[in-house]
Amino acid sequence: MSDTARTADGDGVQRSSTAVVPTAGTALSAVALVALLIPIRRGVDDPALWAAAAAALVATGAFLARRHGFLERHISGSVAAGSSLVAVACSGYAITQGTLGSVALPGLEWSISLLFVAFFLATAAVGVGVADRTGISGPGLFHRLGQTVEMTVLGVAGLVGITVASIFLSIPVQLAGGEAPELAWTVIEYLAFAVGLGAVTVGYLALRERDLSFVDLERPTLRTVGWIVVGLILILGANLGVSALMEVLGIESSEHTTTQRVVENPDLLYVIIPAMVLVVGPFEELLYRNVVQKSLYGTFSRYGAVVVASVVFTLVHILAYATAGAGELLASLSLLFVLSLILGVLYERTENLVVPALVHGCYNAVVFATLLL
């Protein structure tokens, strides 16, 4: 039964609830279209930009047709979601090639990239198109939006927790004069990583009146080992495949801030590589998969939860990859999103935190180990 059927009190209420989703989709895709047309009108001649605008126009038309009853939701939703996804891909590609369509904000010294605006609005329109396709009502859509915001806040709280833990753990060094080798600071950094994410996880579970039984830890079996091997093959293969595709398309990515530090001081790898397996993989998967993704199961479908959790996971890594221009940042985050989807599916399939934690940690360790070569 759809959300519309569950929430409707009568024909009028049902029509009103049903109309909310295509109306929201129309607004999102129409504004995205305008954001794409402004650079075109100003003379930006980029085929990817034109393709994104055409896709946004189709999405707007599909939402409007659904809004006025000319198309059934399974058709309009599919067309709108598919066209919006094309708009995301084309606008994203244009950004990686240096087309930003920046405009100055009136009265301020700042500027805003219209292509980034279109990219994010089209991304939201994909979700609304899927919601329309599956018969989700207006209240259902807003409930899912609220849950997404809550999980995003939780993800950001994880970053804050790491920062706070780092400050407290560095107090002894600061009291001793603040002089310590970079290797010692790196140890403190990863201890803070574990303490910060762990504390946020425990705090959120307590807030939601859940105990540690919510954490999906099972004793490893041969099946677990098999999933870990498959997961490593998939995630390494996806990395190589996406990286090769980016190279063919002329897309450059940015480096992780930790990679830049390792280049300057390779000895850090003797701490970083084991920390990836023992700290980063387990604690990131604990919060972003076992808590964020699992909490979304009650609101979204299983695979919808995988996608939303991967969006949250990707967003909280923006600062870590903000080492180059906007295009390079977007390329790196796109790869990270794909890898996060794989980790999310592994967790969904196994319901065992050990699997994505070890796959994540071992993958990171392999990536950093290659720097030794």
Side-chain angles (χ1 to χ4, degrees):
M1 184 182 294
S2 71
D3 284 353
T4 299
R6 286 196 297 266
T7 59
D9 294 324
D11 290 342
V13 175
Q14 182 169 337
R15 284 195 296 270
S16 176
S17 178
T18 302
V20 170
V21 177
T23 299
T26 301
L28 289 169
S29 55
V31 176
L33 176 60
V34 172
L36 292 166
L37 290 177
I38 290 176
I40 292 174
R41 182 177 176 82
R42 293 185 175 183
V44 177
D45 189 14
D46 187 330
L49 184 58
W50 281 94
L57 179 62
V58 172
T60 304
F63 279 124
L64 279 173
R66 165 66 175 151
R67 174 68 178 80
H68 294 286
F70 297 120
L71 287 177
E72 295 295 328
R73 62 175 176 79
H74 66 278
I75 297 176
S76 63
S78 299
V79 172
S83 300
S84 297
L85 188 59
V86 172
V88 170
C90 292
S91 58
Y93 178 72
I95 291 171
T96 64
Q97 299 306 297
T99 304
L100 298 177
S102 298
V103 295
L105 296 176
L108 298 174
E109 297 181 356
W110 302 339
S111 62
I112 185 172
S113 168
L114 291 178
L115 259 69
F116 263 110
V117 171
F119 177 86
F120 287 113
L121 290 177
T123 300
V126 173
V128 175
V130 172
D132 191 30
R133 170 71 174 79
T134 55
I136 293 172
S137 67
L141 180 64
F142 288 119
H143 176 60
R144 286 160 175 79
L145 177 60
Q147 186 79 346
T148 301
V149 171
E150 179 181 334
M151 292 300 105
T152 303
V153 171
L154 178 60
V156 174
L159 298 181
V160 176
I162 294 171
T163 302
V164 173
S166 179
I167 292 172
F168 278 98
L169 290 174
S170 65
I171 288 177
V173 178
Q174 298 294 344
L175 292 176
E179 295 294 334
E182 188 175 4
L183 206 60
W185 283 113
T186 303
V187 172
I188 291 175
E189 173 187 341
Y190 286 107
L191 286 175
F193 197 95
V195 172
L197 291 185
V200 169
T201 297
V202 172
Y204 182 77
L205 292 180
L207 179 67
R208 291 303 180 190
E209 298 182 346
R210 295 167 176 159
D211 56 28
L212 292 180
S213 64
F214 190 78
V215 179
D216 294 319
L217 280 177
E218 296 180 8
R219 182 178 301 174
T221 63
L222 286 177
R223 178 176 179 271
T224 305
V225 174
W227 273 108
I228 291 171
V229 172
V230 170
L232 281 171
I233 293 172
L234 287 174
I235 202 165
L236 290 170
N239 186 359
L240 293 174
V242 174
S243 298
L245 178 61
M246 287 183 176
E247 185 175 352
V248 170
L249 296 175
I251 299 174
E252 296 183 0
S253 60
S254 60
E255 292 183 341
H256 195 285
T257 51
T258 304
T259 302
Q260 295 183 334
R261 290 167 51 204
V262 167
V263 171
E264 298 172 359
N265 187 356
D267 288 342
L268 296 179
L269 287 173
Y270 294 108
V271 172
I272 291 173
I273 290 176
M276 290 297 160
V277 179
L278 300 175
V279 177
V280 175
F283 281 93
E284 281 199 337
E285 294 305 302
L286 171 64
L287 180 60
Y288 296 106
R289 230 65 60 183
N290 200 151
V291 176
V292 171
Q293 181 174 312
K294 188 176 180 179
S295 295
L296 293 168
Y297 285 166
T299 304
F300 294 84
S301 67
R302 284 294 186 104
Y303 290 116
V306 169
V307 173
V308 175
S310 294
V311 170
V312 173
F313 183 79
T314 302
L315 290 176
V316 299
H317 282 79
I318 289 177
L319 292 179
Y321 286 94
T323 59
E328 291 83 355
L329 172 62
L330 182 59
S332 295
L333 293 179
S334 298
L335 173 59
L336 182 65
F337 177 71
V338 172
L339 301 182
S340 181
L341 288 176
I342 294 173
L343 293 170
V345 171
L346 289 174
Y347 174 66
E348 190 278 330
R349 291 286 84 193
T350 62
E351 295 186 339
N352 186 356
L353 180 61
V354 172
V355 175
L358 286 179
V359 171
H360 185 166
C362 291
Y363 165 77
N364 283 4
V366 168
V367 170
F368 281 103
T370 58
L371 297 177
L372 289 173
L373 304 177

